[in-house]
Amino acid sequence: MSIALGCIADDFTGASDLAAILARSGHKVGLRIGVPSAKDDSEPAPFEVIALKCRTEPVDDAIKATRKAADWLMARGAGQLYWKYCSTFDSTPDGNIGPVSEALMAQLGTSQTIYCPAFPENGRSIYMGNLFVGDVPLDESPMRHHPLTPMRDANLMRLLAPQVQGKVGHIAWPDIAKGGAHIAGQLRGLAYNGIQHIVPDAISQADLAAICEAVQDFKLITGGSALALDLPRLLAAKGRVAPTGTDIIAPATARGNIVLSGSCSAMTRAQVADYSAHAAALRLDPPALADGPDALARARQWLATQDPDAPKIIYATAEPADVTAAQQKLGREKAGQVVEDALAALASDAFDHGIRRFVVAGGETSGAVTQALATDRLSVGREIAPGVPWCFAERNGDTFAITLKSGNFGKEDFFTRALKMLG
Ligand code: ADP
């Protein structure tokens, strides 16, 4: 089987978000952690998503990594690529959204693409080129204070322009509302005028469907995950994938469950509080972890005495004031690193104790845990919440289930709901 649509995501939870949206079609979706080796001869799925960790890498490194991912996908038949980034357009004037797009355009030999981070189901919409998070412009949302990619403007054309060499254009909502054929005409007009990078407005999933129809033959599509929802259907209509997907069947996973949370986002804090009310709970303290091996040894000991099947959570999730205090004491990077290292070690211990169901909260945390479980290939199952699927992987011949939840996704009862779904 060859790849019909090759996808590259700039972080792990973003990749699983896109994989979940594509898997709604019932088609098989493969999720790879990092670029697979050139020798990887595993059968590709019609939709393959490669998760990179290149959102805030130096531009040249990000371009190198995405080119390598594109090579792997194209060598397995992908003539069309999807570059997935966050629905809050997380980037800086240097990149990496624009520079990676231009590199991929050159690789694919194409001269126009679109930029559409809208995800209406999760409250991200674009009107007159301005990105909204819920009912506020991006630059008035908490993203204004993001430590790595503070978003201080909501206008996507202004955000994109310094990131690219080519010209940036816009298709306004009144034109989007006229449907796919009209949008395709607008894109041709812009191409005729040498405008390569187009931001289309989108305030509803119907708008995204119309845009998707217009760009279905583009060699490169870029955006959030929601834009991809209709692609499987459109590719099936062209005969590039089977007419309909078969319903995804979750493989049976043995017993045992654990929630590991290193996210301090507002929604994760509510989710940790909700779950801790009826689960055995252990809180990790970054300064104690940094102090020496004792804190981690105690956590390992705690985990070893837990019933694998009983609900349990280990978290470093903390209120902003506590995070600031830990960061002041240890430095931002070290505070994050000790937590990620501890959760990674505990995930590996949990597997050794027979636990086969992992709920992980946090983008960086997800990266650390999947790496600890030595997982480089996941198959994608049903969504627990929009953009958060159960995934399945093998380790030492045993199947395990894992879900990677980015900070603000899911509702308060997400952890309970996730584990309930596996029965
Ligand atoms: P999110 O998806 O919510 O952004 P991430 O896992 O990507 O979550 O990022 C959270 C970061 O904060 C991680 O690097 C994690 O190790 C770090 N962290 C977690 N708990 C604390 C804490 N109590 N103090 C300082 N840093 C923390």
Side-chain angles (χ1 to χ4, degrees):
M1 194 187 291
S2 70
I3 299 173
L5 180 72
C7 309
I8 305 170
D10 68 355
D11 82 342
F12 288 34
T13 46
S16 94
D17 172 9
L18 176 59
I21 298 287
L22 292 167
R24 282 189 197 176
S25 66
H27 285 93
K28 201 159 187 253
V29 181
L31 176 55
R32 314 271 179 161
I33 305 296
V35 183
S37 95
K39 287 181 271 168
D40 184 328
D41 58 358
S42 58
E43 171 89 353
F47 297 89
E48 284 284 349
V49 184
I50 295 183
L52 298 179
K53 207 169 182 282
C54 65
R55 180 168 300 160
T56 54
E57 272 190 328
V59 176
D60 289 346
D61 294 350
I63 288 177
K64 223 163 126 191
T66 44
R67 278 211 169 121
K68 214 169 137 205
D71 280 339
W72 189 89
L73 293 161
M74 289 162 76
R76 283 154 189 80
Q80 185 173 36
L81 298 181
Y82 195 103
W83 165 226
K84 154 75 173 76
Y85 38 80
C86 190
S87 61
T88 42
F89 209 70
D90 301 18
S91 55
T92 70
D94 293 332
N96 290 335
I97 293 175
V100 165
S101 294
E102 283 192 324
L104 292 175
M105 284 164 82
Q107 200 169 349
L108 287 159
T110 186
S111 56
Q112 195 180 53
T113 191
I114 60 158
Y115 297 79
C116 191
F119 194 158
E121 206 177 345
N122 277 346
R124 275 47 156 181
S125 56
I126 308 166
Y127 188 68
M128 296 302 157
N130 294 292
L131 179 58
F132 289 82
V133 177
D135 55 4
V136 296
L138 176 65
D139 57 330
E140 292 174 30
S141 78
M143 281 306 293
R144 181 178 173 71
H145 302 295
H146 193 280
L148 302 175
T149 50
M151 303 308 287
R152 300 275 161 81
D153 194 348
N155 185 284
L156 291 170
M157 287 83 81
R158 278 199 302 264
L159 289 168
L160 184 59
Q163 299 186 31
V164 291
Q165 313 271 318
K167 286 191 198 156
V168 176
H170 173 226
I171 302 179
W173 187 77
D175 283 311
I176 300 293
K178 290 184 183 153
H182 181 80
I183 300 166
Q186 295 283 307
L187 288 164
R188 281 194 297 274
L190 289 161
Y192 183 74
N193 288 309
I195 301 177
Q196 297 182 299
H197 306 282
I198 316 299
V199 174
D201 283 350
I203 57 178
S204 66
Q205 194 60 45
D207 293 339
L208 291 177
I211 295 164
C212 207
E213 187 189 324
V215 300
Q216 60 181 298
D217 291 322
F218 271 36
K219 286 190 173 169
L220 178 68
I221 300 172
T222 92
S225 58
L227 176 64
L229 182 64
D230 274 346
L231 274 176
R233 184 179 58 76
L234 293 165
L235 292 176
K238 288 177 197 299
R240 287 173 51 198
V241 291
T244 48
T246 47
D247 226 11
I248 298 159
I249 297 166
T253 41
R255 60 202 198 105
N257 65 79
I258 190 161
V259 178
L260 298 166
S261 176
S263 158
C264 298
S265 296
M267 182 46 79
T268 308
R269 296 203 304 273
Q271 289 162 342
V272 169
D274 182 82
Y275 197 65
S276 304
H278 58 86
L282 180 73
R283 192 177 77 82
L284 299 176
D285 176 39
L289 288 170
D291 219 23
D294 291 358
L296 178 58
R298 280 196 299 277
R300 296 180 108 145
Q301 181 59 31
W302 181 86
L303 178 58
T305 58
Q306 300 300 310
D307 171 0
D309 288 321
K312 71 191 84 48
I313 176 169
I314 302 181
Y315 64 95
T317 306
E319 294 298 315
D322 295 328
V323 174
T324 307
Q327 288 177 339
Q328 277 168 355
K329 201 159 177 190
L330 305 173
R332 183 191 301 277
E333 207 173 307
K334 175 101 196 248
Q337 200 58 52
V338 289
V339 169
E340 287 171 38
D341 290 350
L343 288 172
L346 291 160
S348 179
D349 277 8
F351 191 92
D352 294 342
H353 294 316
I355 289 173
R356 296 291 180 267
R357 295 166 183 192
F358 295 83
V359 178
V360 187
E364 297 298 323
T365 311
S366 293
V369 169
T370 43
Q371 270 156 9
L373 293 174
T375 301
D376 56 11
R377 188 180 188 197
L378 302 153
S379 64
V380 180
R382 281 189 202 289
E383 274 172 303
I384 304 153
V388 199
W390 269 116
C391 297
F392 302 93
E394 293 224 336
R395 177 175 152 104
N396 306 338
D398 261 15
T399 302
F400 68 95
I402 183 165
T403 180
L404 311 174
K405 187 199 82 76
S406 94
N408 281 318
F409 278 18
K411 298 222 166 77
E412 280 191 15
D413 63 348
F414 178 86
F415 300 147
T416 310
R417 178 192 287 258
L419 290 164
K420 219 183 219 168
M421 258 179 78
L422 292 183

